[in-house]
């Protein structure tokens, strides 16, 4: 069994070691955190959720969204989907893509979606509960570029793709992979999904994602997930084991591959995450309220369609509303506007009793203060706003264009801090420590008390990257920055990676399936 505790590399900063022995220079960055193997496997956010909208404003957005679906409608760019919608009672414009939806019909179908469900992994310890107060973190997905300080920014490739999967496996706080953390363009697109999904089964034992980019890719992804778990298709339909992200083509459009993905996944009771990408001022109205109205209309349309395909199929309400830089048109993340939209999106999802997907975002081009503060603001908003399924939680850089190895480590550290913050405060008689206070009395200290000595190793969270040495010791060690520490830590983590065990029969069946599908040509491509 692989070590599933948070990976903390051993001491490597030898320059500072003698100095630490000679004087009290403060705690070094590499002190190990001793924690149980399941420290971060199942997170619960029991805090009261913040509100960006009053109850009246929430209803105003809800009603405006339904007005859009009734009066303007959505372009549904797949004849098969339009037929299903028409059979469900939607108004389909003959010879056109436009479909309009009665508001009562939309709400009736949305009501069939489950409020909570379990996403199953091949290692049952990695199963994740979705919805309610549960909090699940997924690795960055779909970046075209990858970067580290040594190699710089480069096109996605299979070697880096596999390294990022190994990092995701190494930390409990990463509960699922997202999609491909980076797109490995050195694998031909016709068979890329086969190699990538096979790697997801072999290099991790966590739940994973398949892209909805055509029917056959969905079918292959479903079969690979089934093989990986070593179960029948009947059991897989009872136990959702794969998820896909369905993005609307904002404004007000669902394209063919996305709709096909809903049909293939929902019909087999697999997880669909419906996520409009509504950037205020670009693909959505420039006001955050207007962008939220459009987000909600697009999300409700997709969610209702999952239930038209199969009532009770698991689905997640996704929100990805942010703003753009009105001077350049570039997307902006981790902004006050993004924070408001995240919190309001959580209110909308809870109104419909649906799990809520949001994201840890930033627009920084390197590992700097901007990367940290924009991500910190994103994490604050999604935690206070009641996010359940957090995409791009670790590794996102450059507005999602780059998967950064160093940013992955920084994010892991921040995610673990969030998890520690969410732990309920212990107010037991032992934690209240009255006996320790009696022992010390006025004017004493607690360093040597029995109460402290019994708890000091695990009393507080030990950050992966924070350097708490004093200035002199830090200077003598070469004045390492957070970027330096993160670069070293990801390399050390990869050195200590352990591949999770996989039944040889499962591995053989998986290899045979991939080989057969490659021999058949994979999937058609345009290049």
């Amino acid at each position: 069994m692989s070590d599933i505790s948070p990976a903390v590399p051993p001491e490597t900063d030898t320059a500072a070691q003698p100095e630490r022995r000679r004087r009290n220079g403060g705690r070094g960055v590499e002190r190990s955190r001793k924690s149980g193997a399941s420290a971060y496997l199942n997170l619960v956010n029991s805090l009261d959720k913040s509100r960006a909208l009053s109850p009246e404003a929430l209803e105003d957005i809800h009603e405006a969204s339904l007005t859009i679906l009734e009066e303007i409608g959505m372009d549904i760019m797949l004849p098969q989907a339009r037929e299903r919608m028409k059979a469900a009672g939607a108004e389909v414009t003959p010879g056109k893509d436009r479909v309009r939806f009665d508001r009562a019909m939309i709400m009736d179908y949305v009501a069939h979606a489950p409020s909570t469900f379990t996403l199953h992994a091949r290692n049952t310890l990695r199963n994740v509960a979705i919805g309610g107060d549960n909090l699940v973190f997924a690795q960055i997905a779909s970046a075209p570029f990858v970067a580290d300080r040594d190699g710089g920014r480069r096109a996605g490739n299979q070697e880096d793709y596999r390294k990022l999967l190994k990092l995701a496996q190494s930390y409990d706080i990463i509960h699922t992979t997202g999609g491909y953390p980076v797109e490995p363009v050195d694998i031909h697109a016709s068979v890329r999904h086969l190699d990538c999904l096979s790697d997801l089964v072999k290099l991790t034992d966590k739940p994973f994602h398949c892209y909805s980019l055509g029917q056959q890719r969905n079918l292959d992804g479903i079969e690979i997930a089934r093989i990986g778990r070593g179960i029948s298709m009947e059991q897989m339909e009872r136990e959702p084991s794969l998820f896909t992200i369905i993005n609307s083509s904002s404004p007000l459009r669902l394209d063919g591959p996305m709709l096909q993905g809903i049909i293939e996944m929902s019909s087999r009771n697999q997880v669909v995450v419906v996520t409009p990408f509504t950037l205020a001022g670009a693909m959505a109205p420039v006001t955050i309220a207007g962008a939220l109205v459009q987000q909600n209309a697009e999300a409700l349309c997709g969610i209702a369609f999952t239930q038209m395909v199969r009532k009770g199929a698991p689905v997640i309400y996704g929100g990805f509303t942010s703003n753009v830089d009105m001077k350049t048109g570039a997307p902006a993340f981790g902004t006050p506007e993004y924070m408001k939209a995240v919190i309001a999106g959580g209110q909308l999802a809870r109104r419909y009793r649906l799990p809520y997907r949001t994201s840890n975002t930033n627009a920084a081009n390197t590992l700097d203060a901007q990367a940290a503060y924009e991500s910190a603001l994103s994490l604050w908003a999604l935690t206070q706003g009641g996010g359940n399924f957090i995409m791009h939680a670790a590794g996102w850089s450059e507005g999602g264009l780059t998967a950064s190895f160093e940013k992955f480590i920084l994010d892991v550290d921040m995610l673990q801090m969030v998890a520690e913050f969410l732990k309920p405060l212990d107010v037991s008689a032992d934690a209240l420590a009255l006996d320790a206070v009696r022992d010390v009395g006025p004017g004493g200290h607690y360093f040597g008390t029995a109460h402290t000595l019994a708890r000091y190793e695990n009393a507080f969270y030990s950050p992966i990257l924070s350097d708490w040495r004093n200035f002199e010791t830090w200077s003598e060690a070469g004045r390492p920055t957070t970027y330096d520490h993160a670069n070293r830590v990801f390399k050390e983590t990869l050195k200590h990676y352990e591949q999770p065990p996989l039944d040889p029969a499962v591995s053989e069946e998986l290899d045979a399936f991939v080989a057969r599908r490659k021999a058949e040509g994979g999937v058609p491509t345009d290049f």
Side-chain angles (χ1 to χ4, degrees):
M1 191 70 181
S2 64
D3 179 7
I4 58 174
S5 62
V8 181
E11 173 65 66
T12 60
D13 190 358
T14 56
Q17 288 176 4
E19 193 63 25
R20 287 197 199 103
R21 287 194 292 268
R22 289 197 302 269
R23 69 185 181 204
N24 180 18
R27 187 169 65 77
V29 68
E30 292 87 8
R31 177 172 174 175
S32 295
R33 180 179 187 278
K34 296 179 175 62
S35 59
S38 59
Y40 300 121
L41 287 182
N42 300 289
L43 301 184
V44 174
N45 178 3
S46 58
L47 298 176
D48 290 339
K49 307 305 182 285
S50 296
R51 298 189 313 174
L53 299 168
S54 68
E56 296 77 17
L58 185 67
E59 287 307 298
D60 287 343
I61 288 178
H62 165 72
E63 292 296 336
S65 303
L66 295 178
T67 297
I68 286 176
L69 293 177
E70 274 192 335
E71 297 182 4
I72 302 170
M74 296 269 295
D75 279 357
I76 304 298
M77 303 176 70
L78 183 70
Q80 182 184 355
R82 293 197 297 274
E83 292 169 8
R84 286 176 179 263
M85 291 175 177
K86 183 176 181 180
E91 177 189 335
V92 178
T93 305
K96 296 184 181 298
D97 295 330
R98 188 63 54 88
V99 180
R100 294 175 176 83
F101 306 87
D102 177 79
R103 63 183 61 213
M105 181 193 76
I106 286 287
M107 295 313 300
D108 178 65
Y109 277 104
V110 169
H112 287 285
S115 58
T116 60
F117 57 86
T118 297
L119 177 59
H120 295 79
R122 70 176 182 85
N123 177 356
T124 56
L125 290 175
R126 305 291 196 183
N127 292 350
V128 291
I130 307 291
D133 287 333
N134 296 293
L135 181 58
V136 174
F137 293 120
Q139 187 181 25
I140 181 178
S142 309
F145 301 102
V146 63
D148 59 37
R149 190 177 58 182
D150 305 290
R153 184 178 184 265
R154 53 197 178 270
N157 59 84
Q158 188 176 38
E159 180 182 1
D160 285 324
Y161 168 78
R162 288 173 169 171
K163 286 180 180 178
L164 287 162
L165 293 189
K166 291 176 182 179
L167 287 178
Q169 176 65 19
S170 299
Y171 291 92
D172 277 349
I173 197 68
I174 306 301
H175 303 108
T176 82
T177 50
Y180 311 158
V182 68
E183 192 76 20
V185 297
D186 53 346
I187 308 174
H188 195 273
S190 62
V191 296
R192 187 180 302 159
H193 69 292
L194 298 170
D195 284 330
C196 288
L197 294 176
S198 177
D199 281 344
L200 282 163
V201 172
K202 292 180 177 181
L203 299 179
T204 80
D205 58 4
K206 301 182 179 186
F208 58 90
H209 161 282
C210 76
Y211 288 102
S212 288
L213 296 173
Q215 181 184 39
Q216 190 58 54
R217 284 187 178 88
N218 285 113
L219 296 178
D220 288 343
I222 290 167
E223 180 63 5
I224 287 173
R226 183 199 68 78
I227 292 171
R229 287 196 62 208
I231 59 175
S232 67
M233 187 55 71
E234 290 75 20
Q235 182 176 349
M236 187 158 168
E237 288 204 19
R238 295 193 302 271
E239 300 174 351
S241 309
L242 187 68
F243 72 95
T244 194
I245 304 294
I246 298 299
N247 295 123
S248 52
S249 299
S250 303
L252 304 178
R253 176 178 289 178
L254 280 166
D255 66 28
M258 297 288 103
L259 290 158
Q260 191 71 54
I262 291 176
I263 292 170
E264 302 305 331
M265 294 285 284
S266 293
S267 66
R268 294 168 177 82
N269 205 41
Q270 301 307 300
V271 179
V272 169
V273 185
V274 179
T275 309
F277 185 37
T278 39
L279 289 178
M283 296 94 76
V286 73
T287 58
I288 297 301
L292 284 167
V293 169
Q294 184 180 305
Q295 168 191 293
N296 199 49
E298 294 176 3
L300 290 178
C301 177
I303 291 164
F305 184 55
T306 68
Q307 304 307 299
M308 295 175 196
V309 172
R310 178 171 177 157
K311 289 183 178 178
V315 62
I316 298 175
Y317 180 109
F320 207 101
T321 290
S322 192
N323 56 296
V324 298
D325 180 351
M326 296 307 294
K327 296 177 182 177
T328 66
F333 298 108
T335 62
E337 292 79 14
Y338 180 74
M339 295 170 70
K340 291 177 185 178
V342 167
I343 293 173
Q347 290 182 259
L348 288 162
R350 289 191 295 278
R351 189 202 183 285
Y352 308 124
R353 302 180 185 276
L354 293 170
Y356 179 40
R357 171 257 158 119
T358 181
S359 300
N360 175 20
T361 62
N362 71 93
N365 293 308
T366 188
L367 193 73
D368 59 7
Q370 179 185 342
Y373 70 68
E374 288 181 350
S375 284
L377 292 173
S378 295
L379 288 173
W380 185 91
L382 64 88
T383 302
Q384 295 299 119
N388 299 119
F389 190 80
I390 314 306
M391 286 290 294
H392 312 299
W396 169 294
S397 185
E398 198 190 343
L401 291 178
T402 296
S404 165
F405 284 96
E406 289 91 358
K407 182 61 164 55
F408 178 91
I409 299 300
L410 176 64
D411 285 329
V412 162
D413 208 4
M414 291 198 294
L415 297 178
Q416 290 184 168
M417 292 181 193
V418 168
E420 294 290 337
F421 169 71
L422 292 176
K423 286 183 179 179
L425 198 62
D426 181 5
V427 291
S428 64
D430 189 51
L432 293 175
L434 286 177
D435 288 341
V437 176
R438 291 188 182 100
D439 289 343
V440 172
H445 67 77
Y446 291 84
F447 283 113
T449 66
H451 189 269
T452 298
L453 292 175
R455 294 162 181 78
Y456 77 96
E457 287 189 300
N458 294 301
F460 311 117
Y461 175 73
S462 295
I464 298 172
L465 297 177
S466 297
D467 196 331
W468 291 344
R469 293 172 290 191
N470 64 29
F471 183 83
E472 291 78 13
T473 305
W474 171 74
S475 296
E476 291 171 10
R479 300 191 176 194
T481 65
T482 298
Y483 207 165
D484 295 323
H485 292 314
N487 178 268
R488 173 180 43 76
V489 169
F490 94 74
K491 294 173 184 176
E492 289 291 334
T493 302
L494 288 175
K495 286 180 183 178
H496 292 87
Y497 165 80
E498 294 183 21
Q499 187 167 343
L502 181 64
D503 187 319
V506 169
S507 183
E508 183 178 346
E509 183 181 0
L510 177 60
D511 289 343
F513 174 78
V514 169
R516 176 174 65 81
R517 288 290 298 116
K518 284 186 175 182
E520 294 169 352
V523 296
T525 63
D526 295 328
F527 45 90

